[in-house]
Amino acid sequence: MAVARARPRRAPGVGLPAVLARAVLPRRSHLNEEHVLIHQTHPADTHTDTETALCAAIRAYSSGDTTAAHSAAEQARALDPDSELARLLAVITAGGDAAGVYDSPAAFRAFIRGGGNIGLYEATSGALRELYRQHRPQRLLDIGTGDGMALLPALTEHRPAVGVVEPSAALLAETTAELTRRGIPHLAWPCTAQDFTATHTRRWDLVQSTFALQSLPEADKARVLRWIAAHTDRFVLVEFDVPEVASVWEPAWFRDCLARLERGLREYDDDRDLVGAGFILPVILGKFGTATPTNYELAIDAWEGLLREAGFAGITTRRLADYWWRPPFLVEAVTGAG
């Protein structure tokens, strides 16, 4: 709610935003009758409450039955006319499919420049700016730069030579144009993190990645992090802390997800349809098996484990801000030399 991710990013998090803690929800054997009901919901049923109608709509959509998904979404909308999630699900299912998450730079741009992302990116850039002031890197590499929303505001007091890695040509062009305008020496690589780290050999004083590496599958995460540990003494990661669940259909997780979605969608006014249908919902629907996932989020303690396995020794974490999806954390990791 974005990298050199396998594709351009981001959700803050959507990322969602945002990543596997160890707070696993109860297994189905412990569920009461109400819990069992949500698991046994069928798209063709006539539903009496919004939650079960939304569950049926998402289940149907995940199986490719957009007709049944649209019917259930319209039921949810009738049961709760104020539900923005139900309304946008009805819009998406009426059209037959959700847009690809990163197919619309306009949706991504509106997403990160509105709602809770304003405060989120201010906090992120401010933290990066302080790290640059403290450590004074001469060569800085940003993996998954996007359009530079986290990087560029941080380049004020200290302005190192910058390397940017970003698979979206449109987003990368915006970043490099601004770096050029500011007179900041830079190199740019229009590729994924996987492709970049497979061939690049230069060392960097500091490597950073903000809301980007969540988009890599686990095996790719491990390979990229090992490369980073071998090519810098200091790495800064910003990601969401997203707890692990046994199943996205677990009722407690599902209800919490619905509530967070409503909050996130309502943070946008004029751009709500663009952001909701073009970015937020495609990311979230990917979690329910509607498409190949665009995010493989982890809990911060899981990120710490991967960083240690990659070769980092000293690791510190701190929460950056409040956010509708999950809380964002800054993780600073150093090798023995750092």
Side-chain angles (χ1 to χ4, degrees), residues 174-190:
E174 294 185 31
T175 301
T176 55
E178 181 60 20
L179 289 170
T180 299
R181 189 190 70 79
R182 297 187 187 187
I184 297 175
H186 61 276
L187 295 171
W189 290 271

Side-chain angles (χ1 to χ4, degrees), residues 99-111:
V101 179
Y102 300 111
D103 291 345
S104 172
F108 169 67
R109 189 176 296 108
F111 170 70

Side-chain angles (χ1 to χ4, degrees), residues 274-298:
L274 173 65
V275 170
F279 193 85
I280 293 178
L281 284 190
V283 169
I284 297 300
L285 289 173
K287 295 181 180 295
F288 294 91
T290 61
T292 300
T294 56
N295 294 80
Y296 301 84
E297 296 178 305
L298 298 174

Side-chain angles (χ1 to χ4, degrees), residues 145-202:
T145 309
D147 62 355
M149 191 169 175
L151 170 68
L152 293 170
L155 296 172
T156 53
E157 299 176 29
H158 180 65
R159 293 155 63 100
V162 174
V164 287
V165 179
E166 170 57 49
S168 168
L171 298 177
L172 185 62
E174 294 185 31
T175 301
T176 55
E178 181 60 20
L179 289 170
T180 299
R181 189 190 70 79
R182 297 187 187 187
I184 297 175
H186 61 276
L187 295 171
W189 290 271
C191 62
T192 65
Q194 299 97 312
D195 289 343
F196 176 80
T197 56
T199 60
H200 191 75
T201 59
R202 179 179 303 196

Side-chain angles (χ1 to χ4, degrees), residues 151-316:
L151 170 68
L152 293 170
L155 296 172
T156 53
E157 299 176 29
H158 180 65
R159 293 155 63 100
V162 174
V164 287
V165 179
E166 170 57 49
S168 168
L171 298 177
L172 185 62
E174 294 185 31
T175 301
T176 55
E178 181 60 20
L179 289 170
T180 299
R181 189 190 70 79
R182 297 187 187 187
I184 297 175
H186 61 276
L187 295 171
W189 290 271
C191 62
T192 65
Q194 299 97 312
D195 289 343
F196 176 80
T197 56
T199 60
H200 191 75
T201 59
R202 179 179 303 196
R203 283 192 62 84
W204 300 83
D205 298 322
L206 188 151
V207 177
Q208 68 183 41
S209 182
T210 58
F211 308 115
L213 297 187
Q214 60 178 267
S215 298
L216 303 184
E218 184 173 352
D220 288 343
K221 282 187 177 72
R223 284 192 291 270
V224 169
L225 291 175
R226 284 196 299 269
W227 181 93
I228 292 172
H231 291 82
T232 189
D233 296 330
R234 187 175 305 276
F235 175 51
V236 176
L237 175 76
V238 181
E239 289 288 358
F240 297 107
D241 184 20
V242 179
E244 181 182 14
V245 292
S247 167
V248 293
W249 299 107
E250 292 282 4
W253 190 94
F254 188 80
R255 289 193 190 99
D256 182 63
C257 181
L258 296 186
R260 290 176 182 276
L261 272 172
E262 284 291 341
R263 175 188 164 186
L265 291 169
R266 290 176 185 279
E267 289 183 354
Y268 297 86
D269 295 320
D270 295 342
D271 291 328
R272 187 175 299 173
D273 285 14
L274 173 65
V275 170
F279 193 85
I280 293 178
L281 284 190
V283 169
I284 297 300
L285 289 173
K287 295 181 180 295
F288 294 91
T290 61
T292 300
T294 56
N295 294 80
Y296 301 84
E297 296 178 305
L298 298 174
I300 292 303
D301 64 354
W303 279 111
E304 290 183 55
L306 286 176
L307 288 166
R308 290 191 183 94
E309 291 174 6
F312 289 100
I315 300 173
T316 59

Side-chain angles (χ1 to χ4, degrees), residues 26-91:
R27 302 292 179 177
R28 189 171 304 182
S29 59
H30 299 295
L31 301 179
N32 60 27
E33 290 183 1
E34 176 191 11
H35 290 159
V36 172
L37 179 62
I38 196 170
H39 283 278
Q40 295 179 343
T41 297
H42 297 290
D45 293 344
T46 299
H47 308 290
T48 58
D49 68 88
T50 308
E51 182 182 310
T52 54
L54 287 171
C55 181
I58 295 171
R59 276 190 178 278
Y61 193 81
S62 69
S63 66
D65 189 346
T66 55
T67 300
H70 183 69
S71 175
E74 288 288 10
Q75 287 186 51
R77 191 177 179 186
L79 288 163
D80 184 1
D82 292 330
S83 171
E84 286 298 283
L85 174 57
R87 183 180 69 82
L88 286 172
L89 269 176
V91 169

